[in-house]
Amino acid sequence: EPEVTQTPSHQVTQMGQEVILRCVPISNHLYFYWYRQILGQKVEFLVSFYNNEISEKSEIFDDQFSVERPDGSNFTLKIRSTKLEDSAMYFCASSQDYGYTFGSGTRLTVV
Amino acid sequence: GDSVTQMEGPVTLSEEAFLTINCTYTATGYPSLFWYVQYPGEGLQLLLKATKADDKGSNKGFEATYRKETTSFHLEKGSVQVSDSAVYFCALGTNFGNEKLTFGTGTRLTIIP
């Protein structure tokens, strides 16, 4: 069964550093997303991406965040200057007509 | 805006008990409804979905029926197993599932032998 692949599975970074989280969506999907889940809390939408541009973003997705599809297969989330409160599990997802699939997540720990 | 209200947890049941986890929603238009499961230390897995009113989604013995009149999508299973212990999230999406999902707060289920 097709999968959404995320790397790394766990990243530890110092406050103020830049991080890039990587995702490989399912190949025939056209819609891409990032969500985050702070430990023990609900899953929150960050951003959606379609046709090489952001289609929607939440209030969480401020100027510190950016997304990119640098080639035909990868989809990345960049956090420019990490804060302690950015510590969370970040999930990538892709979809195409009800086939909404999540990756297994990257656990980001900011110290 | 869209919202999902989910039964508060945690829920603890004995093996073979009947399970219901309530979920109601508020949405404009005609959303699709989903249940996702998150096992300890893992990501989100789609458990089942329903895309229109009166549809019943089912998988692994779990069922949920899309009730437009009560704006509900309750998750049920007739006989739970220890392996069903996980966190369950109700979610809704629009645009044929090609927009953001709005999640409920999640319900932690623990099954004791």
Side-chain angles (χ1 to χ4, degrees):
Chain A
E1 189 167 328
E3 289 184 344
V4 174
T5 305
Q6 287 187 246
T7 55
S9 57
H10 192 185
Q11 177 143 8
V12 181
T13 188
Q14 289 204 323
M15 191 169 54
Q17 295 295 304
E18 174 183 286
V19 294
I20 298 176
L21 310 183
R22 303 182 191 279
C23 170
V24 179
I26 292 174
S27 60
N28 65 336
H29 285 185
L30 300 179
Y31 299 82
F32 314 116
Y33 314 83
W34 284 100
Y35 292 79
R36 79 171 185 191
Q37 183 185 30
I38 295 171
L39 187 64
Q41 297 187 25
K42 70 191 292 185
V43 179
E44 300 172 292
F45 168 76
L46 292 178
V47 66
S48 58
F49 191 87
Y50 171 72
N51 200 24
N52 285 320
E53 59 184 25
I54 290 174
S55 49
E56 187 176 358
K57 60 183 180 180
S58 72
E59 61 272 14
I60 301 168
F61 194 88
D62 61 22
D63 291 344
Q64 293 298 313
F65 291 89
S66 62
V67 289
E68 195 177 33
R69 188 154 162 81
D71 53 42
S73 59
N74 290 284
F75 179 51
T76 61
L77 174 70
K78 182 192 291 186
I79 310 175
R80 289 192 184 81
S81 178
T82 50
K83 309 190 216 21
L84 294 176
E85 54 264 38
D86 293 327
S87 295
M89 181 75 90
Y90 288 81
F91 292 106
C92 174
S94 67
S95 75
Q96 186 64 38
D97 297 339
Y98 306 116
Y100 211 113
T101 305
F102 284 82
S104 55
T106 294
R107 179 166 298 286
L108 176 66
T109 303
V110 182
V111 297
Chain B
D2 298 344
S3 68
V4 175
T5 302
Q6 197 173 330
M7 176 175 164
E8 293 286 331
V11 173
T12 302
L13 294 173
S14 297
E15 204 166 20
E16 300 183 2
F18 184 86
L19 168 71
T20 300
I21 300 178
N22 289 339
C23 172
T24 57
Y25 67 90
T26 303
T28 53
Y30 302 96
S32 301
L33 301 172
F34 306 83
W35 277 99
Y36 282 85
V37 57
Q38 186 177 33
Y39 297 103
E42 297 187 13
L44 295 163
Q45 297 178 28
L46 178 65
L47 180 60
L48 53 84
K49 68 184 179 204
T51 58
K52 61 182 188 299
D54 300 326
D55 267 3
K56 178 187 280 189
S58 60
N59 186 24
K60 301 181 181 180
F62 290 90
E63 292 183 341
T65 301
Y66 187 160
R67 302 278 187 208
K68 191 167 183 291
E69 63 276 12
T70 54
T71 61
S72 65
F73 192 55
H74 304 322
L75 183 69
E76 296 182 336
K77 187 174 184 183
S79 177
V80 292
Q81 306 300 314
V82 172
S83 56
D84 295 326
S85 297
V87 181
Y88 292 81
F89 292 93
C90 184
L92 73 81
T94 54
N95 192 24
F96 306 103
N98 291 329
E99 286 186 359
K100 68 177 183 183
L101 295 183
T102 300
F103 283 84
T105 52
T107 301
R108 181 175 299 279
L109 173 67
T110 303
I111 308 300
I112 53 177

